[in-house]
Amino acid sequence: MIGKVIDVTPETLVGEVMNLKNDGQRLVTFSTYQEDEKKIGILYHFDKNLETTHLRLVTDMDKPIPSISGVLFAALLVENEIRDQWDVEFDGLVLDFNRSLYLDPEVTQVPLVSNVKIEPKK
Amino acid sequence: MATTVIPFGPQHPVLPEPVHLTLKVEDEIVKEAIPALGYVHRGLEKLADIRDYHQMITVCERVCGICSMIHAVCYSQAIEELMDIEIPDRAALLRVIWSELHRTHSHLLWLGLFADAFGFESLFMQFWKIRERIMDINEATTGSRVIVSVNVIGGVRADLSPDQIRWILSEIDIVEKEVRQLQDTIMNDYTVKARTCGVGTLTKEQAYELGAAGPTLRGSGVAQDMRMLGYGGYSQIDFEPIVETSGDCWARSTVRFRECLQSMDLVRQAISKLPEGDIRVKVKGNPPEGEAYARVEQPRGECVYYIKGNGTKHLDRLRIRTPTFANIPPLLAMMPECELADVPVIILSIDPCISCTER
């Protein structure tokens, strides 16, 4: 994959994002994928002068992921999108749509995770 | 001062796309805007589970009609990187030609809609009249006016004959002449400037930090355009990004207007460098395996594809980040302290494509 990849953990993620921000890197977006049945992989894509840097976070789906929206406001939409599509929670999200950015309240099937059902919203 | 909450959209006479904003307003001055999406969400990324990687080109083209060609280029480039496929030079430059034709018709469409947003109906019709010539080129060369479907993994499926090339060159000369005739109106007219100058201002720092893309980023003074990467045939073409510095609706419209003229030049350059030869290579070997990250410049800005293949004909993951998605946080920053009457003009100024955003 084009660009430098840096592995991070939930503990080091926000600090790394802060470092990249201070270095003048611009947040492009995140991409997600399923690492295995219980783990999600998130790639945070940054750009500076057309050079790409990716942070790779692989973590449990059932534990909250630290939000970077406090450091980079633009992350809030991506984190809400991931919340909708993967049913993972973000800790410290500045504007939490609570799984309703894309999905209607009556949706019970998590779109990108097979065989995971959730309670409809009241 | 009492706060009034106004739901703006998803249906509104001036909005071409169903974006919804909840506006908190005090005395006709917007204090805060909160977005709501999901109105046209189609789950296209999930289709990678049931369509093979060749068929997914057709799906990617339908993420957005207006930039369909460039979506297909981005997806194809990602797959070609994974499968180590080098496309012929002629195919790379044909992709540039159709991409720039798409950019021109998208910008002309937007310039018309923008004129309509501030009530200039005849300007709207003039831009759309000129755009028809580009649509005719698309139809004559590919068989379709909007979703041209010329990309395949390994190149393109359609070629241009010498007669078609001569006709395209004569048509874009006419398009350029007609676009230039509208330059004074869109850039210097008193009433247009009154509705756009100083409206929805986004500073250079805000644009960069909020991850703005395309004309929204360049209109705020950041010289960043993915075509500078030299992907595909762009490596063979002289290109400088178009930048304006005032960061307001006028700057964003001016960037798009100037990019129309630039695209005409890029089409001419690509045609002048078009070599003889094949237009596609045969795809050999195993299906894509591994990760790829591709970036291209669409009319609305930077588009990103992340692809994860597992060696079967179905992709493990297809992630699409479209430029409008990137431009929503900057849009929220443009809103506070604007007048309610300027909201449609500001929203239009980022050229929102909600079907792209929600996919």
Side-chain angles (χ1 to χ4, degrees):
Chain A
M1 192 162 63
I2 294 166
K4 187 168 74 171
V5 181
I6 303 169
D7 289 321
V8 292
T9 65
E11 291 73 34
T12 61
L13 170 67
V14 177
E16 264 316 326
V17 170
M18 192 81 88
N19 289 342
L20 292 177
K21 184 186 174 188
N22 292 338
D23 182 41
Q25 301 263 359
R26 170 174 151 268
L27 175 69
V28 179
T29 193
F30 322 167
S31 298
T32 47
Y33 59 91
Q34 191 149 10
E35 180 72 18
D36 61 34
E37 264 188 20
K38 292 186 175 173
K39 285 191 185 291
I40 184 173
I42 305 181
L43 283 160
Y44 298 76
H45 310 295
F46 288 84
D47 166 276
K48 185 180 177 187
N49 300 328
L50 302 175
E51 297 274 327
T52 308
T53 305
H54 316 272
L55 299 182
R56 188 192 298 277
L57 173 72
V58 177
T59 186
D60 296 333
M61 277 180 171
D62 55 359
K63 288 183 188 157
I65 298 166
S67 168
I68 64 161
S69 60
V71 182
L72 291 163
F73 178 75
L76 84 101
L77 272 190
V78 201
E79 289 181 346
N80 274 293
E81 184 187 29
I82 295 170
R83 172 117 173 76
D84 277 21
Q85 294 184 332
W86 296 87
D87 195 34
V88 292
E89 286 189 32
F90 284 88
D91 206 6
L93 192 47
V94 292
L95 179 59
D96 191 349
F97 285 79
N98 195 18
R99 206 172 55 78
S100 64
L101 179 69
Y102 284 153
L103 305 180
D104 288 331
E106 61 268 25
V107 172
T108 57
Q109 178 72 49
V110 182
L112 292 181
V113 190
S114 301
N115 303 320
V116 173
K117 289 212 181 256
I118 40 180
E119 287 293 309
K121 282 213 190 68
K122 299 279 178 353
Chain B
M1 180 69 66
T3 301
T4 310
V5 177
I6 298 179
F8 189 92
Q11 279 107 352
H12 186 282
V14 84
L15 289 180
E17 293 270 339
V19 62
H20 175 84
L21 292 176
T22 302
L23 302 174
K24 292 186 180 170
V25 175
E26 287 178 11
D27 197 20
E28 301 247 335
I29 300 293
V30 175
K31 295 294 174 187
E32 193 182 357
I34 299 168
L37 302 173
Y39 204 67
V40 287
H41 186 232
R42 294 162 289 166
L44 292 184
E45 291 173 355
K46 184 69 177 165
L47 272 177
D49 284 0
I50 53 172
R51 302 270 180 260
D52 73 37
Y53 69 96
H54 288 291
Q55 293 169 328
M56 279 308 289
I57 291 190
T58 316
V59 175
C60 293
E61 283 170 340
R62 279 150 183 80
V63 170
C64 169
I66 301 300
C67 20
S68 63
M69 167 73 198
I70 310 176
H71 271 290
V73 168
C74 193
Y75 173 79
S76 305
Q77 284 185 177
I79 297 284
E80 284 155 7
E81 184 195 322
L82 280 186
M83 299 181 74
D84 203 17
I85 296 171
E86 192 167 336
I87 67 168
D89 274 356
R90 188 173 177 87
L93 284 163
L94 285 169
R95 282 182 180 177
V96 170
I97 293 169
W98 277 303
S99 294
E100 292 308 317
L101 290 171
H102 261 66
R103 191 178 320 281
T104 311
H105 90 67
S106 174
H107 281 350
L108 290 171
L109 179 138
W110 177 84
L111 285 159
L113 290 173
F114 192 57
D116 186 45
F118 50 70
F120 205 149
E121 292 284 328
S122 65
L123 188 59
F124 157 63
M125 289 182 217
Q126 289 292 323
F127 277 120
W128 279 41
K129 186 192 87 178
I130 301 168
R131 177 177 177 259
E132 280 302 301
R133 287 188 185 275
I134 307 289
M135 310 311 283
D136 289 345
I137 294 174
N138 282 348
E139 188 174 10
T141 54
T142 68
S144 302
R145 285 164 60 82
V146 181
I147 298 181
V148 295
S149 292
V150 288
N151 281 280
V152 288
I153 309 294
V156 289
R157 67 163 178 81
D159 202 351
L160 296 176
S161 67
D163 282 347
Q164 282 177 322
I165 287 173
R166 275 192 292 277
W167 175 65
I168 291 170
L169 288 171
S170 69
E171 284 296 292
I172 62 172
D173 284 347
I174 298 170
V175 170
E176 182 175 348
K177 186 177 157 213
E178 291 185 348
V179 169
R180 283 193 191 280
Q181 284 170 352
L182 300 179
Q183 181 164 342
D184 212 31
T185 313
I186 194 76
M187 287 164 73
N188 296 321
D189 183 89
Y190 170 78
T191 51
V192 174
K193 285 180 107 170
R195 290 302 311 274
T196 58
C197 285
V199 175
T201 304
L202 187 73
T203 65
K204 187 176 181 179
E205 292 72 29
Q206 281 177 314
Y208 195 82
E209 191 173 324
L210 292 170
T216 307
L217 184 64
R218 294 191 288 280
S220 292
V222 181
Q224 178 137 322
D225 188 311
M226 290 307 120
R227 287 174 286 178
M228 294 157 77
L229 288 168
Y231 65 84
Y234 286 101
S235 58
Q236 301 175 48
I237 283 174
D238 289 332
F239 172 78
E240 285 290 325
I242 285 173
V243 177
E244 291 286 336
T245 52
S246 57
D248 52 10
C249 292
W250 183 87
R252 292 187 278 279
S253 65
T254 302
V255 168
R256 287 192 179 88
F257 184 86
R258 290 173 58 200
E259 283 185 359
C260 279
L261 300 172
Q262 183 187 47
S263 288
M264 300 291 102
D265 176 48
L266 298 184
V267 171
R268 286 192 196 101
Q269 283 193 49
I271 285 176
S272 72
K273 294 184 174 167
L274 201 59
E276 293 296 321
D278 293 334
I279 56 168
R280 63 192 288 189
V281 292
K282 202 169 180 185
V283 177
K284 292 178 189 165
N286 295 326
E289 186 169 13
E291 291 175 303
Y293 174 76
R295 300 199 285 173
V296 296
E297 189 72 18
Q298 287 184 341
R300 297 176 172 93
E302 173 189 7
C303 177
V304 172
Y305 271 61
Y306 167 78
I307 283 172
K308 192 165 191 281
N310 55 9
T312 71
K313 64 181 184 175
H314 297 294
L315 297 173
D316 253 0
R317 178 77 171 111
L318 169 66
R319 151 79 172 149
I320 307 168
R321 199 301 310 267
T322 61
T324 302
F325 192 86
N327 282 331
I328 287 180
L331 175 68
L332 304 181
M334 294 173 200
M335 290 287 178
E337 303 305 322
C338 79
E339 290 190 30
L340 186 58
D342 288 332
V343 169
V345 178
I346 296 173
I347 293 177
L348 256 289
S349 77
I350 68 158
D351 194 3
C353 178
I354 301 304
S355 58
C356 265
T357 305
E358 299 178 8
R359 304 173 302 286

